[in-house]
């Protein structure tokens, strides 16, 4: 299996973090690609290498966090109900709290968490 390029991972991570930060500060409609690039300390060409626009970035983030949520809930429902299984669910959600809360506040056409 081919190792993922660490530069790609870092760039995408920085873009995603900048996006979440800006949406929390300014809202989705007032966040633009230029702001995302400035905050992530990348060039516009780097952003466009991975995403067509901020809507594509949003869609990928929603898909990513939806899959995380589904895995956490699925793991919880596969087990017998115990306080431990519930704590595991909440701890898993806590790890992604800031990003998920940000995305929950965005609803664009058919893209929402």
């Amino acid at each position: 299996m081919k190792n993922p390029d660490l530069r790609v991972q870092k760039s995408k991570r920085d873009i995603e973090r900048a996006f979440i930060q800006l949406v929390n500060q300014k809202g989705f409609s007032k966040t633009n690609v230029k702001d995302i690039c400035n905050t992530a300390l990348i060039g516009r060409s780097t952003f466009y290498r991975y995403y067509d626009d901020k809507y594509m970035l949003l869609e990928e983030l929603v898909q990513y966090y939806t899959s995380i949520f589904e895995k956490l809930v699925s793991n919880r429902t596969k087990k017998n109900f115990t306080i431990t299984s519930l704590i595991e669910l909440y701890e898993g959600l806590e790890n992604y709290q800031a990003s998920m809360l940000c995305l929950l506040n965005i609803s664009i056409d058919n893209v929402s968490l």
Side-chain angles (χ1 to χ4, degrees):
M1 183 174 187
K2 192 174 173 182
N3 286 335
D5 187 335
L6 294 178
R7 293 170 297 177
V8 171
Q9 289 179 349
K10 181 187 176 309
S11 294
K12 290 185 87 169
R13 180 199 65 205
D14 292 346
I15 291 167
E16 292 166 3
R17 286 180 179 172
F19 176 78
I20 296 295
Q21 176 186 337
L22 290 165
V23 169
N24 278 330
Q25 290 173 355
K26 300 166 57 165
F28 179 78
S29 63
K30 293 182 180 175
T31 297
N32 59 46
V33 172
K34 180 180 177 185
D35 294 336
I36 296 168
C37 294
N38 289 340
T39 303
L41 301 175
I42 60 160
R44 290 174 72 92
S45 62
T46 301
F47 179 90
Y48 289 115
R49 182 176 302 133
Y50 307 115
Y51 308 101
D52 293 339
D53 53 26
K54 70 178 186 176
Y55 296 94
M56 182 180 179
L57 171 57
L58 172 63
E59 187 173 340
E60 285 192 21
L61 287 173
V62 166
Q63 289 174 359
Y64 174 73
Y65 286 106
T66 298
S67 71
I68 288 173
F69 181 76
E70 287 172 347
K71 285 177 191 171
L72 289 169
V73 170
S74 175
N75 288 340
R76 160 55 190 94
T77 57
K78 287 180 184 175
K79 301 176 183 178
N80 291 332
F81 178 77
T82 64
I83 290 296
T84 304
S85 63
L86 195 56
I87 290 171
E88 288 172 0
L89 172 63
Y90 285 121
E91 286 174 347
L93 290 173
E94 185 178 31
N95 292 331
Y96 305 102
Q97 176 183 2
S99 297
M100 286 186 170
L101 287 174
C102 175
L103 295 173
L104 282 168
N105 289 314
I106 303 171
S107 183
I108 307 295
D109 296 328
N110 57 353
V111 179
S112 62
L113 185 60

